[in-house]
Amino acid sequence: MAVMAPILHSEFIEQEQYVKNPHLDHMEEDILYHFNLGTKTHNLPAMFGDIKFVCVGGSANRMRSFAQFIHQQLKLAGNADDIRDICEGTDRYSMYKVGPVLSISHGMGVPSISIMLHELIKLLYHAHCRDVMLFRIGTSGGIGLPPGTVVITDKAVDSFFRPQFEQVVLGKVITRSTELDKGMAEELLQCSTELHNFPSIIGNTMCTHDFYEGQGRLDGALCSFSTEEKLEYLRKAHEAGIRNIEMESTVFAAMCRICNLKAAVICVTLLNRLEGDQISTPHEVLVEYQQRPQHLVAHFIKKQLALI
Ligand SMILES: O=P(O)(O)O[C@H]1O[C@H](CO)[C@@H](O)[C@H]1O
Ligand SMILES: O=c1cc[nH]c(=O)[nH]1
Protein backbone atom coordinates (compact mmCIF):
# COMPACT_ATOMS: atom_id res chain seq x y z
CA MET A 1 0.00 0.00 0.00
CA ALA A 2 1.09 3.60 -0.66
CA VAL A 3 2.11 6.36 1.77
CA MET A 4 0.22 6.79 5.03
CA ALA A 5 -2.26 9.59 5.66
CA PRO A 6 -1.39 11.92 8.55
CA ILE A 7 -4.15 11.89 11.14
CA LEU A 8 -4.10 15.62 11.86
CA HIS A 9 -6.02 17.49 9.18
CA SER A 10 -5.45 21.05 10.42
CA GLU A 11 -5.74 22.48 6.89
CA PHE A 12 -9.29 21.19 6.78
CA ILE A 13 -10.37 22.47 10.20
CA GLU A 14 -11.95 25.66 8.86
CA GLN A 15 -14.05 23.56 6.47
CA GLU A 16 -17.08 21.54 7.39
CA GLN A 17 -15.95 18.51 9.40
CA TYR A 18 -17.68 15.18 9.41
CA VAL A 19 -16.30 13.94 12.73
CA LYS A 20 -17.20 15.42 16.10
CA ASN A 21 -14.47 13.94 18.26
CA PRO A 22 -11.51 16.02 19.52
CA HIS A 23 -9.65 12.85 20.56
CA LEU A 24 -9.13 11.76 16.97
CA ASP A 25 -6.63 14.53 16.31
CA HIS A 26 -4.33 13.16 19.03
CA MET A 27 -4.24 9.60 17.76
CA GLU A 28 -1.10 8.31 16.03
CA GLU A 29 -3.12 5.89 14.02
CA ASP A 30 -6.79 5.13 13.54
CA ILE A 31 -7.70 1.51 12.89
CA LEU A 32 -11.12 1.08 11.30
CA TYR A 33 -11.31 -2.40 12.75
CA HIS A 34 -14.58 -3.64 11.22
CA PHE A 35 -13.52 -2.50 7.73
CA ASN A 36 -10.01 -3.95 8.06
CA LEU A 37 -8.64 -0.52 7.05
CA GLY A 38 -6.42 1.94 8.89
CA THR A 39 -4.65 5.27 8.53
CA LYS A 40 -1.17 3.71 8.74
CA THR A 41 -1.83 0.67 6.61
CA HIS A 42 -3.86 2.31 3.83
CA ASN A 43 -3.66 5.56 1.91
CA LEU A 44 -7.25 6.55 2.60
CA PRO A 45 -7.17 9.87 0.66
CA ALA A 46 -5.88 8.04 -2.43
CA MET A 47 -8.36 5.20 -2.04
CA PHE A 48 -11.48 7.20 -1.15
CA GLY A 49 -10.81 10.94 -1.64
CA ASP A 50 -13.14 11.20 -4.68
CA ILE A 51 -16.19 9.68 -2.98
CA LYS A 52 -19.35 11.81 -3.36
CA PHE A 53 -22.14 9.27 -2.79
CA VAL A 54 -22.35 6.50 -0.21
CA CYS A 55 -25.14 3.94 -0.46
CA VAL A 56 -25.75 1.58 2.43
CA GLY A 57 -28.11 -1.35 2.92
CA GLY A 58 -28.46 -4.41 5.10
CA SER A 59 -27.32 -7.22 2.85
CA ALA A 60 -23.86 -7.78 1.37
CA ASN A 61 -25.27 -9.32 -1.82
CA ARG A 62 -27.60 -6.35 -2.39
CA MET A 63 -24.76 -3.88 -2.00
CA ARG A 64 -22.58 -5.87 -4.41
CA SER A 65 -25.44 -5.93 -6.94
CA PHE A 66 -25.89 -2.20 -6.45
CA ALA A 67 -22.18 -1.63 -7.10
CA GLN A 68 -22.44 -3.59 -10.35
CA PHE A 69 -25.63 -1.76 -11.32
CA ILE A 70 -24.19 1.71 -10.69
CA HIS A 71 -21.02 0.73 -12.59
CA GLN A 72 -23.19 0.01 -15.62
CA GLN A 73 -25.38 3.10 -15.07
CA LEU A 74 -22.35 5.43 -14.90
CA LYS A 75 -20.89 3.69 -17.97
CA LEU A 76 -17.53 3.22 -16.26
CA ALA A 77 -14.63 1.37 -17.82
CA GLY A 78 -13.85 -2.20 -16.85
CA ASN A 79 -15.91 -5.23 -16.02
CA ALA A 80 -18.56 -4.79 -13.31
CA ASP A 81 -18.07 -8.44 -12.29
CA ASP A 82 -14.48 -7.64 -11.28
CA ILE A 83 -15.46 -5.12 -8.57
CA ARG A 84 -13.78 -6.34 -5.43
CA ASP A 85 -14.86 -6.22 -1.80
CA ILE A 86 -12.56 -3.67 -0.13
CA CYS A 87 -13.40 -5.26 3.25
CA GLU A 88 -12.67 -8.81 2.13
CA GLY A 89 -10.22 -9.14 5.04
CA THR A 90 -13.22 -9.17 7.40
CA ASP A 91 -16.71 -10.62 7.12
CA ARG A 92 -18.39 -7.91 9.21
CA TYR A 93 -19.26 -5.60 6.29
CA SER A 94 -18.77 -5.56 2.52
CA MET A 95 -17.62 -2.43 0.70
CA TYR A 96 -17.41 -1.68 -3.02
CA LYS A 97 -16.10 1.46 -4.70
CA VAL A 98 -17.36 2.40 -8.15
CA GLY A 99 -16.06 5.79 -9.34
CA PRO A 100 -17.46 8.39 -6.90
CA VAL A 101 -19.89 5.86 -5.34
CA LEU A 102 -19.24 3.71 -2.28
CA SER A 103 -21.62 0.81 -1.62
CA ILE A 104 -21.50 -0.75 1.86
CA SER A 105 -23.53 -3.35 3.72
CA HIS A 106 -24.47 -2.66 7.35
CA GLY A 107 -26.18 -5.82 8.63
CA MET A 108 -29.43 -5.68 10.57
CA GLY A 109 -30.39 -3.29 13.33
CA VAL A 110 -29.18 -0.15 15.05
CA PRO A 111 -26.01 -1.48 16.73
CA SER A 112 -24.74 -2.99 13.48
CA ILE A 113 -25.32 0.10 11.31
CA SER A 114 -24.09 2.40 14.06
CA ILE A 115 -20.66 0.70 14.22
CA MET A 116 -20.44 0.83 10.44
CA LEU A 117 -21.36 4.54 10.40
CA HIS A 118 -18.71 5.47 13.00
CA GLU A 119 -16.04 3.87 10.83
CA LEU A 120 -17.49 5.17 7.55
CA ILE A 121 -17.66 8.77 8.80
CA LYS A 122 -14.08 8.55 10.09
CA LEU A 123 -13.05 7.06 6.74
CA LEU A 124 -14.61 10.03 4.90
CA TYR A 125 -12.80 12.39 7.28
CA HIS A 126 -9.40 10.71 6.96
CA ALA A 127 -9.83 10.60 3.17
CA HIS A 128 -10.59 14.37 3.12
CA CYS A 129 -13.89 13.79 1.33
CA ARG A 130 -16.18 16.79 0.76
CA ASP A 131 -19.86 17.25 -0.10
CA VAL A 132 -20.75 13.60 0.40
CA MET A 133 -24.37 12.41 0.31
CA LEU A 134 -25.52 9.24 2.05
CA PHE A 135 -28.43 6.98 1.09
CA ARG A 136 -29.86 4.01 2.92
CA ILE A 137 -31.45 1.71 0.33
CA GLY A 138 -33.39 -0.93 2.21
CA THR A 139 -36.51 -3.04 2.63
CA SER A 140 -39.37 -2.45 5.05
CA GLY A 141 -42.89 -3.41 6.04
CA GLY A 142 -45.50 -1.00 4.69
CA ILE A 143 -48.53 0.34 6.53
CA GLY A 144 -51.55 0.71 4.25
CA LEU A 145 -49.48 0.66 1.04
CA PRO A 146 -49.40 -1.82 -1.83
CA PRO A 147 -46.28 -4.02 -1.56
CA GLY A 148 -43.49 -2.73 -3.77
CA THR A 149 -44.12 0.92 -2.91
CA VAL A 150 -40.92 2.89 -2.32
CA VAL A 151 -41.04 5.10 0.78
CA ILE A 152 -38.68 8.07 0.86
CA THR A 153 -38.42 9.00 4.51
CA ASP A 154 -39.61 12.37 5.69
CA LYS A 155 -39.06 11.81 9.44
CA ALA A 156 -37.41 8.75 10.94
CA VAL A 157 -39.27 8.03 14.19
CA ASP A 158 -38.82 5.61 17.08
CA SER A 159 -41.35 3.06 18.38
CA PHE A 160 -43.13 5.86 20.28
CA PHE A 161 -43.46 7.81 17.00
CA ARG A 162 -40.91 10.43 18.18
CA PRO A 163 -38.46 11.92 15.62
CA GLN A 164 -35.44 11.17 17.78
CA PHE A 165 -32.75 8.63 18.51
CA GLU A 166 -31.69 7.76 22.04
CA GLN A 167 -28.15 6.59 22.69
CA VAL A 168 -26.90 5.56 26.12
CA VAL A 169 -23.48 7.17 26.71
CA LEU A 170 -21.66 6.67 30.02
CA GLY A 171 -24.91 5.54 31.62
CA LYS A 172 -26.86 8.60 30.49
CA VAL A 173 -29.41 8.87 27.70
CA ILE A 174 -28.44 11.27 24.93
CA THR A 175 -31.28 12.26 22.59
CA ARG A 176 -30.48 13.24 19.01
CA SER A 177 -32.71 14.62 16.25
CA THR A 178 -33.43 12.36 13.29
CA GLU A 179 -34.21 15.09 10.77
CA LEU A 180 -33.20 14.17 7.22
CA ASP A 181 -32.41 16.41 4.26
CA LYS A 182 -35.75 17.67 2.86
CA GLY A 183 -34.22 18.72 -0.47
CA MET A 184 -32.83 15.23 -1.13
CA ALA A 185 -36.19 13.63 -0.31
CA GLU A 186 -38.03 15.99 -2.69
CA GLU A 187 -35.47 15.43 -5.43
CA LEU A 188 -35.75 11.64 -5.01
CA LEU A 189 -39.53 11.89 -5.33
CA GLN A 190 -39.01 13.94 -8.49
CA CYS A 191 -36.69 11.17 -9.78
CA SER A 192 -39.46 8.63 -9.22
CA THR A 193 -41.86 10.68 -11.33
CA GLU A 194 -39.23 10.72 -14.08
CA LEU A 195 -38.76 6.94 -13.91
CA HIS A 196 -42.50 6.32 -13.46
CA ASN A 197 -42.19 2.54 -13.21
CA PHE A 198 -43.07 1.97 -9.53
CA PRO A 199 -45.06 3.86 -6.87
CA SER A 200 -43.03 6.13 -4.57
CA ILE A 201 -44.18 8.38 -1.74
CA ILE A 202 -42.67 10.54 0.98
CA GLY A 203 -43.74 9.42 4.47
CA ASN A 204 -42.51 8.85 7.98
CA THR A 205 -40.52 5.70 8.73
CA MET A 206 -40.60 3.92 12.06
CA CYS A 207 -37.35 2.32 13.23
CA THR A 208 -37.67 -0.56 15.70
CA HIS A 209 -35.15 -2.69 17.57
CA ASP A 210 -36.75 -5.96 16.53
CA PHE A 211 -38.40 -7.49 13.45
CA TYR A 212 -41.03 -9.54 15.35
CA GLU A 213 -42.50 -8.25 18.64
CA GLY A 214 -40.91 -4.84 18.10
CA GLN A 215 -42.82 -4.43 14.81
CA GLY A 216 -46.08 -5.83 16.24
CA ARG A 217 -45.81 -9.19 14.47
CA LEU A 218 -47.99 -12.07 15.59
CA ASP A 219 -45.67 -14.72 14.10
CA GLY A 220 -42.52 -14.53 16.26
CA ALA A 221 -41.38 -17.07 18.84
CA LEU A 222 -42.90 -14.75 21.45
CA CYS A 223 -46.09 -12.72 21.27
CA SER A 224 -47.95 -11.17 24.19
CA PHE A 225 -50.63 -9.18 22.32
CA SER A 226 -53.81 -9.82 20.32
CA THR A 227 -54.51 -9.21 16.63
CA GLU A 228 -56.70 -6.24 17.64
CA GLU A 229 -53.90 -4.70 19.74
CA LYS A 230 -51.46 -5.12 16.87
CA LEU A 231 -53.81 -3.43 14.40
CA GLU A 232 -54.60 -0.61 16.83
CA TYR A 233 -50.85 0.14 17.14
CA LEU A 234 -50.29 0.07 13.39
CA ARG A 235 -53.36 2.28 12.78
CA LYS A 236 -52.05 4.80 15.32
CA ALA A 237 -48.70 4.71 13.54
CA HIS A 238 -50.48 5.38 10.26
CA GLU A 239 -52.31 8.35 11.84
CA ALA A 240 -48.87 9.68 12.88
CA GLY A 241 -47.85 9.70 9.20
CA ILE A 242 -45.83 6.47 9.41
CA ARG A 243 -45.90 4.55 6.15
CA ASN A 244 -43.22 1.92 6.72
CA ILE A 245 -41.22 0.11 9.40
CA GLU A 246 -37.56 -0.91 9.32
CA MET A 247 -34.64 -1.14 11.73
CA GLU A 248 -31.89 1.43 11.09
CA SER A 249 -33.32 4.77 9.97
CA THR A 250 -33.21 6.69 13.27
CA VAL A 251 -29.54 6.16 14.05
CA PHE A 252 -28.64 6.64 10.38
CA ALA A 253 -30.48 9.97 10.29
CA ALA A 254 -29.15 11.11 13.68
CA MET A 255 -25.50 10.33 12.98
CA CYS A 256 -25.56 11.86 9.49
CA ARG A 257 -27.24 15.02 10.78
CA ILE A 258 -24.73 15.56 13.59
CA CYS A 259 -21.82 14.88 11.26
CA ASN A 260 -22.98 17.38 8.57
CA LEU A 261 -23.73 14.68 6.04
CA LYS A 262 -26.76 15.09 3.80
CA ALA A 263 -28.76 11.89 3.95
CA ALA A 264 -31.87 10.12 2.69
CA VAL A 265 -33.61 6.85 3.52
CA ILE A 266 -35.30 4.99 0.66
CA CYS A 267 -36.93 1.67 1.50
CA VAL A 268 -39.25 -0.51 -0.55
CA THR A 269 -42.19 -2.13 1.25
CA LEU A 270 -42.27 -5.94 1.00
CA LEU A 271 -45.78 -6.37 2.40
CA ASN A 272 -48.72 -4.43 3.84
CA ARG A 273 -48.57 -4.98 7.59
CA LEU A 274 -52.31 -4.26 7.94
CA GLU A 275 -52.84 -7.45 5.94
CA GLY A 276 -50.28 -9.81 7.46
CA ASP A 277 -46.88 -10.48 8.96
CA GLN A 278 -45.24 -13.23 6.91
CA ILE A 279 -43.24 -12.33 3.84
CA SER A 280 -44.69 -14.85 1.39
CA THR A 281 -44.06 -12.95 -1.84
CA PRO A 282 -42.08 -15.08 -4.39
CA HIS A 283 -38.31 -14.64 -4.29
CA GLU A 284 -38.02 -13.17 -7.79
CA VAL A 285 -40.64 -10.52 -6.94
CA LEU A 286 -38.73 -9.60 -3.76
CA VAL A 287 -35.51 -9.30 -5.78
CA GLU A 288 -37.25 -6.89 -8.18
CA TYR A 289 -38.69 -4.88 -5.25
CA GLN A 290 -35.19 -4.51 -3.74
CA GLN A 291 -33.95 -3.02 -6.97
CA ARG A 292 -36.45 -0.16 -6.87
CA PRO A 293 -34.60 2.05 -4.33
CA GLN A 294 -31.42 1.32 -6.30
CA HIS A 295 -32.99 2.59 -9.52
CA LEU A 296 -34.17 5.73 -7.78
CA VAL A 297 -30.78 6.47 -6.25
CA ALA A 298 -28.94 5.68 -9.50
CA HIS A 299 -31.18 8.19 -11.31
CA PHE A 300 -30.51 10.77 -8.57
CA ILE A 301 -26.74 10.23 -8.81
CA LYS A 302 -26.75 10.50 -12.61
CA LYS A 303 -28.63 13.79 -12.36
CA GLN A 304 -26.16 15.09 -9.77
CA LEU A 305 -23.28 14.16 -12.08
CA ALA A 306 -25.11 15.80 -15.01
CA LEU A 307 -25.09 12.50 -16.91
CA ILE A 308 -28.81 12.91 -17.78
O1 LIG B 1 -33.29 -4.64 3.89
P1 LIG B 1 -32.46 -4.02 4.95
O2 LIG B 1 -31.62 -2.92 4.46
O3 LIG B 1 -31.65 -5.05 5.71
O4 LIG B 1 -33.50 -3.40 6.01
C1 LIG B 1 -34.54 -4.09 6.65
O5 LIG B 1 -34.50 -5.51 6.58
C2 LIG B 1 -34.00 -6.08 7.81
C3 LIG B 1 -35.03 -7.00 8.40
O6 LIG B 1 -35.40 -8.00 7.51
C4 LIG B 1 -33.70 -4.90 8.72
O7 LIG B 1 -32.34 -4.58 8.64
C5 LIG B 1 -34.58 -3.81 8.14
O8 LIG B 1 -34.21 -2.50 8.43
O1 LIG C 1 -41.63 -6.02 7.69
C1 LIG C 1 -40.47 -5.73 7.45
C2 LIG C 1 -39.86 -6.01 6.20
C3 LIG C 1 -38.54 -5.69 6.01
N1 LIG C 1 -37.85 -5.11 7.03
C4 LIG C 1 -38.43 -4.86 8.23
O2 LIG C 1 -37.76 -4.35 9.13
N2 LIG C 1 -39.71 -5.16 8.40
Side-chain angles (χ1 to χ4, degrees):
M1 286 291 163
V3 193
M4 325 307 164
I7 296 246
L8 188 64
H9 307 302
S10 46
E11 70 271 36
F12 290 90
I13 297 273
E14 71 281 1
Q15 299 172 348
E16 174 191 87
Q17 269 205 30
Y18 293 146
V19 296
K20 302 283 168 202
N21 178 3
H23 301 286
L24 287 182
D25 280 347
H26 305 292
M27 285 165 55
E28 277 283 300
E29 178 182 12
D30 191 5
I31 297 167
L32 308 177
Y33 166 63
H34 302 88
F35 287 162
N36 198 29
L37 295 172
T39 53
K40 282 210 167 158
T41 48
H42 298 80
N43 185 342
L44 299 179
M47 289 173 74
F48 299 103
D50 62 340
I51 292 295
K52 293 292 174 200
F53 309 97
V54 181
C55 299
V56 306
S59 114
N61 277 339
R62 185 192 312 148
M63 299 323 290
R64 180 176 166 79
S65 300
F66 176 71
Q68 292 171 336
F69 174 62
I70 199 77
H71 183 276
Q72 168 227 321
Q73 289 288 303
L74 300 184
K75 297 189 171 50
L76 296 174
N79 188 341
D81 291 334
D82 295 341
I83 300 168
R84 100 179 161 86
D85 181 358
I86 296 169
C87 296
E88 64 193 355
T90 165
D91 54 9
R92 295 294 189 182
Y93 305 110
S94 291
M95 180 191 288
Y96 303 93
K97 183 176 180 300
V98 180
V101 182
L102 204 56
S103 177
I104 315 176
S105 67
H106 57 60
M108 286 192 283
V110 162
S112 184
I113 193 175
S114 147
I115 294 165
M116 190 283 285
L117 286 171
H118 275 283
E119 295 184 13
L120 167 65
I121 294 167
K122 290 196 297 174
L123 183 155
L124 297 174
Y125 166 68
H126 292 311
H128 309 165
C129 294
R130 305 293 322 278
D131 304 320
V132 178
M133 291 180 178
L134 262 74
F135 306 82
R136 167 164 147 68
I137 46 176
T139 63
S140 62
I143 307 182
L145 296 172
T149 305
V150 172
V151 179
I152 301 159
T153 304
D154 178 15
K155 291 192 187 75
V157 302
D158 65 11
S159 301
F160 305 98
F161 314 159
R162 301 173 304 191
Q164 64 183 49
F165 174 68
E166 289 184 345
Q167 177 73 286
V168 180
V169 179
L170 305 182
K172 297 192 184 95
V173 175
I174 290 187
T175 304
R176 292 178 173 146
S177 163
T178 52
E179 208 173 302
L180 287 155
D181 191 84
K182 296 253 180 280
M184 275 177 83
E186 292 293 342
E187 179 55 26
L188 283 159
L189 189 66
Q190 171 61 27
C191 289
S192 82
T193 64
E194 290 161 13
L195 291 172
H196 56 73
N197 45 9
F198 46 80
S200 303
I201 60 155
I202 291 184
N204 293 345
T205 297
M206 178 160 71
C207 175
T208 67
H209 292 304
D210 174 47
F211 183 83
Y212 287 99
E213 287 182 292
Q215 297 189 4
R217 275 188 156 80
L218 299 162
D219 62 344
L222 304 174
C223 185
S224 55
F225 46 84
S226 66
T227 305
E228 292 68 35
E229 286 169 321
K230 163 199 156 174
L231 290 173
E232 190 191 348
Y233 180 66
L234 293 183
R235 285 205 193 94
K236 280 196 179 133
H238 191 269
E239 279 164 24
I242 296 166
R243 295 294 177 268
N244 66 337
I245 313 174
E246 49 76 90
M247 298 178 57
E248 293 86 14
S249 58
T250 49
V251 72
F252 174 80
M255 288 183 71
C256 290
R257 186 172 190 278
I258 278 202
C259 295
N260 300 313
L261 283 154
K262 285 187 169 191
V265 176
I266 309 103
C267 291
V268 70
T269 62
L270 302 183
L271 75 171
N272 179 0
R273 290 297 316 291
L274 299 178
E275 289 175 0
D277 296 333
Q278 296 252 303
I279 301 179
S280 51
T281 310
H283 176 73
E284 58 280 10
V285 177
L286 293 177
V287 169
E288 192 277 315
Y289 283 173
Q290 283 191 44
Q291 288 166 355
R292 294 179 175 193
Q294 303 179 28
H295 283 261
L296 210 50
V297 170
H299 192 76
F300 180 103
I301 291 174
K302 285 197 288 179
K303 281 179 85 176
Q304 291 287 314
L305 296 174
L307 295 175
I308 43 176

